[in-house]
Amino acid sequence: MIRKKAIEILNENWQGNFTIPCDGLYPFQWKWDSGFIAIGFAHFDMDKAKKEISTLLDAQWENGFIPHIVFHNESDTYFPGADYHQSNLHPKASKKYKSTGMTQPPVIGFVLKELYRISKDKKDILQFIETVIDKVYDSHNYFYENRDPYNEGLVYIYHNWESGTDNSPMWDGIFKTMDSPEYNFERRDTAHVDAAQRPSKREYDHYLYILEIAKEHNYDDQKIAELSPFLVQDPLFNSILIKSNQSLIELYNLLVNNQEKINQLKEWQAKSIETFNIKLFDEELGAYVHYDLRHDKQLKYISSSSFTPLFAGIPSQERAQILVNTLNEKFGGKDKYLCASFDPTDEQFNPVKYWRGPIWININWMLYYGLKKYGFNELALRVKKDSIELVEKVGFYEYFDPRKDVYKNRTLGYGGNNFSWTAALIIDLLDE
Ligand code: GLC
């Protein structure tokens, strides 16, 4: 019974007011993990789901910013930790919690809507939502005010860690434009996980270099927009923002006296969807792509992020069909599980290395609901069945090899085991 095991994992990773993504490897609270984890808890322990979200929001900065990691404890099994990030450099950072000075995909808006969908006590959950929804709204306001320098409706990320897809081959070309020094530091991740499945030392140099620049300017948004060598409009990040905008509109409509906020959200939404469809689509590839704002060009690669606009209802039905054709053709061969995180037909595809090829269950979860929304039920079902089958075969890992034939010999997944969002979202898929 994998459902029972999933519940055990979430309860084990629960720390009393938040949940770690994975014991040892990720010992703090991560923003988008938290959201996915809350969806899992909502199916069997709504109090924990609520607490998970309110703890994360408690670490929100005065300017609405929600950080990517909240350092609740002094664990030294992680690099780079609180002392490296120094969130206190920013004048509006939380005084209560140490955190990073970067963010992650804004999932909390749609997560609140998921809690509402799953809850059997709508009155109770709405009462909870009422206490937190303005904070989530403020975090969207932060993005539109500070991360959209040309007022296009698309927000940028300034670090690959903000994307959630840390070492995607998408970033390789950008790193080549940077003259990152070689730093001396002790990594902790490779003490937990085989180095072949993690980013390289050189990649870490780049990650630290971007951070150094941001820190040098006290995480000032304007300075970062001006100076960061990494400035990207990411289709995954912006899809999630758009999906969350929509959820906030729907939830505010269930509450009273929020017309002004609803109007503002609708305004953002219209502009965001329009620009997204113009600027982040590539006709030739038949897919959505990333836009490198620093070098003013599209990054012409297909990744699993290319299909997440389906989850947010961004493409027309016609364009959704084009996406599905691309998905089937490049990612959907009978010899593969869905959905590889990077184009399996590209030479940079690596089926064992983190975001350079392996399957991640949070992306599959978004694809499942996105495909269903557009009526691609058979393909949606395949994504769901593949996700469950992988977990049944090898366990609740962080990521999985998309090649079917390796499982003749392979009994393990990749990265951390007993990984919280894998557990949480499998519960949701099983119960759906
Ligand atoms: C890795 C993932 C990121 C996730 C974090 C914690 O850094 O790339 O998306 O949030 O682990 O699980």
Side-chain angles (χ1 to χ4, degrees):
M1 266 308 287
I2 61 168
R3 192 179 186 279
K4 188 160 160 265
K5 176 70 183 163
I7 291 175
E8 269 168 38
I9 290 171
L10 288 183
N11 282 332
E12 259 164 47
N13 288 345
W14 172 250
Q15 306 292 302
N17 50 354
F18 74 96
T19 311
I20 53 170
C22 180
D23 189 31
L25 187 60
Y26 305 122
F28 313 107
Q29 185 177 30
W30 264 256
K31 179 184 175 186
W32 77 329
D33 296 66
S34 243
F36 293 123
I37 289 164
I39 293 171
F41 274 129
H43 286 277
F44 65 96
D45 190 338
M46 193 55 94
D47 285 343
K48 283 185 184 153
K50 292 180 196 163
K51 189 74 193 155
E52 180 76 43
I53 299 297
S54 40
T55 301
L56 178 73
L57 293 174
D58 199 29
Q60 183 168 35
W61 295 10
E62 276 167 47
N63 58 353
F65 177 90
I66 302 172
H68 115 283
I69 304 176
V70 185
F71 297 104
H72 289 279
N73 50 54
E74 298 290 320
S75 175
D76 63 357
T77 61
Y78 187 79
F79 174 84
D83 295 345
Y84 184 87
H85 286 279
Q86 293 179 285
S87 52
N88 59 338
L89 289 170
H90 193 288
K92 298 203 167 148
S94 165
K95 307 286 178 283
K96 192 167 168 190
Y97 300 94
K98 292 178 185 175
S99 74
T100 57
M102 62 177 85
T103 188
Q104 255 188 337
V107 295
I108 306 303
F110 79 70
V111 167
L112 292 182
K113 183 78 200 305
E114 290 296 292
L115 301 195
Y116 181 76
R117 167 178 71 87
I118 295 162
S119 173
K120 297 199 172 66
D121 186 346
K122 303 291 185 211
K123 200 170 149 225
D124 172 79
I125 195 69
L126 259 190
Q127 265 171 10
F128 168 74
I129 289 170
E130 192 155 26
T131 64
V132 293
I133 189 167
D134 287 345
K135 295 185 182 182
V136 184
Y137 175 91
D138 291 346
S139 74
H140 289 215
N141 189 52
Y142 160 82
F143 282 125
Y144 285 108
E145 293 215 322
N146 298 288
R147 297 289 190 106
D148 182 12
Y150 306 116
N151 212 0
E152 301 173 281
L154 293 179
V155 306
Y156 69 72
I157 52 173
Y158 82 83
H159 198 289
N160 53 297
W161 278 332
E162 293 202 307
S163 68
T165 60
D166 301 5
N167 73 333
S168 167
M170 206 63 70
W171 322 131
D172 292 0
I174 300 177
F175 296 149
K176 281 201 190 108
T177 68
M178 292 164 35
D179 201 9
S180 311
E182 301 238 5
Y183 295 101
N184 272 322
F185 56 91
E186 195 192 332
R187 277 175 69 174
R188 304 300 172 90
D189 56 325
T190 42
H192 301 283
V193 172
D194 183 349
Q197 299 166 20
R198 297 283 308 178
S200 67
K201 155 78 169 70
R202 191 60 190 141
E203 280 171 302
Y204 260 77
D205 285 334
H206 301 308
Y207 305 170
L208 297 183
Y209 181 55
I210 308 171
L211 259 175
E212 287 300 335
I213 295 169
K215 278 163 66 180
E216 200 179 308
H217 299 282
N218 302 323
Y219 293 115
D220 180 88
D221 286 301
Q222 259 181 332
K223 283 283 176 206
I224 287 173
E226 225 175 276
L227 299 169
S228 178
F230 186 111
L231 217 62
V232 172
Q233 291 166 324
D234 180 330
L236 170 62
F237 197 100
N238 280 281
S239 290
I240 287 177
L241 180 63
I242 288 168
K243 175 76 177 176
S244 284
N245 279 337
Q246 188 57 38
S247 299
L248 291 183
I249 293 170
E250 288 163 21
L251 291 172
Y252 270 132
N253 268 317
L254 298 173
L255 303 165
V256 280
N257 281 339
N258 295 295
Q259 206 47 51
E260 234 172 83
K261 287 189 172 125
I262 293 173
N263 292 345
Q264 177 62 76
L265 282 159
K266 285 187 174 164
E267 212 178 284
W268 287 331
Q269 192 70 330
K271 191 192 273 182
S272 293
I273 293 175
E274 194 189 344
T275 315
F276 196 116
N277 271 316
I278 296 168
K279 197 173 180 187
L280 302 188
F281 193 75
D282 185 72
E283 298 281 351
E284 244 167 80
L285 291 177
Y288 289 96
V289 293
H290 293 64
Y291 194 88
D292 178 344
L293 202 55
R294 175 56 68 231
H295 306 98
D296 212 7
K297 59 171 192 197
Q298 282 186 339
L299 300 173
K300 300 207 182 245
Y301 298 101
I302 309 173
S303 65
S304 53
S305 303
S306 301
F307 308 112
T308 52
L310 293 165
F311 176 63
I314 292 167
S316 62
Q317 189 66 34
E318 199 185 350
R319 191 171 271 186
Q321 182 65 57
I322 297 175
L323 282 182
V324 164
N325 296 347
T326 307
L327 180 64
N328 276 324
E329 191 185 311
K330 302 243 180 203
F331 294 67
K334 291 265 175 291
D335 59 334
K336 289 200 183 55
Y337 288 110
L338 287 173
C339 175
S341 48
F342 196 72
D343 181 356
T345 67
D346 190 287
E347 57 182 20
Q348 294 176 92
F349 171 74
N350 179 341
V352 312
K353 213 175 181 66
Y354 215 35
W355 290 97
R356 304 178 81 85
I359 295 166
W360 290 73
I361 298 300
N362 63 335
I363 304 289
N364 272 11
W365 181 86
M366 285 184 254
L367 289 182
Y368 169 71
Y369 282 106
L371 289 165
K372 255 183 61 166
K373 185 199 271 290
Y374 284 87
F376 298 107
N377 294 334
E378 214 174 295
L379 192 57
L381 213 61
R382 182 170 160 205
V383 173
K384 172 172 170 169
K385 276 170 68 182
D386 284 2
S387 308
I388 293 170
E389 190 176 321
L390 283 166
V391 169
E392 276 173 345
K393 261 190 199 322
V394 297
F396 288 88
Y397 276 85
E398 189 181 1
Y399 39 102
F400 303 87
D401 201 310
R403 297 167 301 176
K404 284 192 174 160
D405 61 355
V406 300
Y407 292 94
K408 286 184 199 129
N409 307 311
R410 224 190 139 71
T411 54
L412 302 175
Y414 298 138
N417 192 2
N418 296 334
F419 191 69
S420 292
W421 84 38
T422 304
L425 297 176
I426 287 291
I427 294 174
D428 186 72
L429 289 176
L430 286 171
D431 287 6
E432 208 269 322

